[in-house]
Every structure is written in structure tokens, then in C-alpha cells.
Amino acid sequence: MALNFNPSSVFDVFPFLKSVPQAEWTAAQPRVLTYPSQARIFQKEDAANYGMFLLRGTVRITLIEENGSESLLTLLSAGEVCSLLVLCGLSDRDYPGSLIAETEVEVLFVSKSSFLSWIQVQPTIRNAIFGGLLDGMIRTSRMLQAKHNEPLEARLAKALLRTTTDTNPLLHITHQVLANEIGSAREVVSRVLKRYQEKGWVETGRGWVRVTNRGMLEAQLGDLVTEA
């Protein structure tokens, strides 16, 4: 859904964008869109036309492999800019993955030419963007390390707890996508979810998982982290 562009609300999340002159905002053709959870909001072909700023919510950044499978690279939160998007724009290369809404999200799109010009010409914006790239690289490295070091059950529990709440316990996601996110195989994730269901911690169906006992998942997560 398209929303009216409100500079003050954008500046609350990205204060460094205040340095952009009004005339350049007009040329950038800004538009704010909202997407529901699990919507695909940015793909390979979009990188040729747009820059993107996440105003609200959380987004999964995935890499698309040659065989068509997707793997989770990192998560993007409100106030952050996708490092892949910036690097692809500066190097004039195709975007190698997609961005998928993990929660309902609100996104600001601007023209690619304006986006790149701001990075190159505005020191405040350049420093903020590249500082964010460094933070993103560190976070991605930590996520990859956790995939190797944490037990599968811990990674799965974290994913389920992070993407649900007490008031919204239903997650629309397939076992394959969950497996991609935590770095495992679909069959393994399905077995663990079946075990959780037998214990009464979750309910599952085709394309969805509902957390029914967050306390037990959190307790198990604590036990697994302690043991690790």
C-alpha cells in the first residue's frame, strides 16, 4: 500500500537524510510503501531502479543460489540500509538476492540515481551509510558463526521466538524457508517441529507454525545456550 511521503517521519528514522536539499527530494521521486509479513519487497530487477530505506519492521536478506534455492544472509531492521544494495549500486552489478518482510514493514524508495548521488556527494550520508555497512558486515559474520556453533534446536527456537509474539503467535512460513534461515535441511527441521508439537510447544500445518508455549521454547533455548 502506498503512503504519502512525510519527510519528518523519515528523518526520525534516518536523521542523516536531513542534509538532502528539498529540490533533490523532488528529483528522487520518493514513495513510501507498506508490505505485509512474508511479502517479497525487493528483488534483482528492482536494484536497477531504486534505493531503499527501511522505516519500520524487520526484513530478511536472502541470497539466491544458482539452483534457485535461497539462504538467509542477515536481517535488516528499521533505520538500516542494505549493504548489498549499496555495493551493487556502486559497482553497477545485479542484486544477488531478495528482501522478504519478516514483519509488516514500511519502506521508502527513491530513484537509484539520487540514492547513489547522495552517497557520493553528501559526506553526512556517506559516513552514515558506510558506517552501517561495517555494522552489517560484523552482524552477518556473527550470524554465520552462530550457525556453525549453536545447536540446531537453539537456532530453530530463536527463529520461532523472534518472528512471533504472545499476541501474534502464528507464523506463515514453510519448513523449507525455516531450514534455509537457520542453515539446516528441511527434513531435520520437520523432525524437530514434530517433536515440539508432540510436547505441546507448537502447532504446525501446511505453510504455517503456531507457537503455543513460548515459555518452554525460551526455557529450552536457555538450556541449550548454557550447554553450548
Side-chain angles (χ1 to χ4, degrees), residues 10-223:
V10 170
F11 298 158
D12 286 342
V13 185
F14 292 97
F16 57 82
L17 291 179
K18 292 178 182 178
S19 62
V20 177
Q22 179 58 45
E24 292 189 22
W25 276 113
T26 303
Q29 300 176 318
R31 58 195 183 106
V32 177
L33 300 177
T34 59
Y35 295 87
S37 174
Q38 304 307 314
R40 197 174 294 267
I41 65 175
F42 199 95
Q43 302 183 80
K44 177 179 178 180
E45 57 270 20
D46 296 318
N49 302 310
Y50 304 112
M52 191 199 86
F53 298 87
L54 184 60
L55 301 176
R56 176 170 58 85
T58 305
V59 167
R60 293 196 305 271
I61 302 175
T62 67
L63 290 178
I64 301 178
E65 309 295 344
E66 292 184 359
N67 62 6
S69 64
E70 293 187 55
S71 58
L72 177 71
L73 179 62
T74 190
L75 298 172
L76 194 69
S77 299
E80 297 177 339
V81 176
C82 175
S83 57
L84 278 181
L85 176 60
V86 176
L87 295 175
C88 288
L90 292 174
S91 61
D92 199 26
R93 297 177 61 177
D94 289 337
Y95 192 78
S98 63
L99 280 79
I100 302 170
E102 185 165 82
T103 64
E104 181 180 84
V105 299
E106 188 174 305
V107 181
L108 167 66
F109 290 99
V110 298
S111 70
K112 178 183 176 181
S113 58
S114 294
F115 180 62
L116 296 181
S117 174
W118 295 346
I119 294 174
Q120 294 167 352
V121 174
Q122 298 281 351
T124 303
I125 295 178
R126 182 170 59 250
N127 292 342
I129 292 291
F130 281 97
L133 297 189
L134 177 59
D135 292 339
M137 291 174 63
I138 294 172
R139 183 172 61 250
T140 299
S141 175
R142 288 173 176 168
M143 286 184 64
L144 293 174
Q145 185 177 18
K147 283 185 178 181
H148 290 291
N149 296 339
E150 283 188 325
L152 168 68
E153 290 84 353
R155 302 199 305 271
L156 181 56
K158 277 187 176 180
L160 293 175
L161 292 169
R162 190 189 70 246
T163 52
T164 60
T165 64
D166 288 326
T167 57
N168 188 17
L170 180 63
L171 176 62
H172 292 283
I173 196 169
T174 66
H175 293 189
Q176 183 62 64
V177 172
L178 267 176
N180 292 344
E181 178 169 337
I182 67 174
S184 184
R186 179 186 60 79
E187 295 81 5
V188 177
V189 168
S190 296
R191 285 199 299 270
V192 175
L193 285 174
K194 182 179 180 181
R195 190 159 66 244
Y196 286 176
Q197 185 169 14
E198 291 171 348
K199 294 180 178 181
W201 299 351
V202 303
E203 296 173 350
T204 66
R206 187 175 181 83
W208 60 270
V209 178
R210 178 183 286 110
V211 175
T212 55
N213 194 326
R214 294 183 67 84
M216 291 304 298
L217 281 179
E218 290 169 349
Q220 187 203 29
L221 179 60
D223 291 341

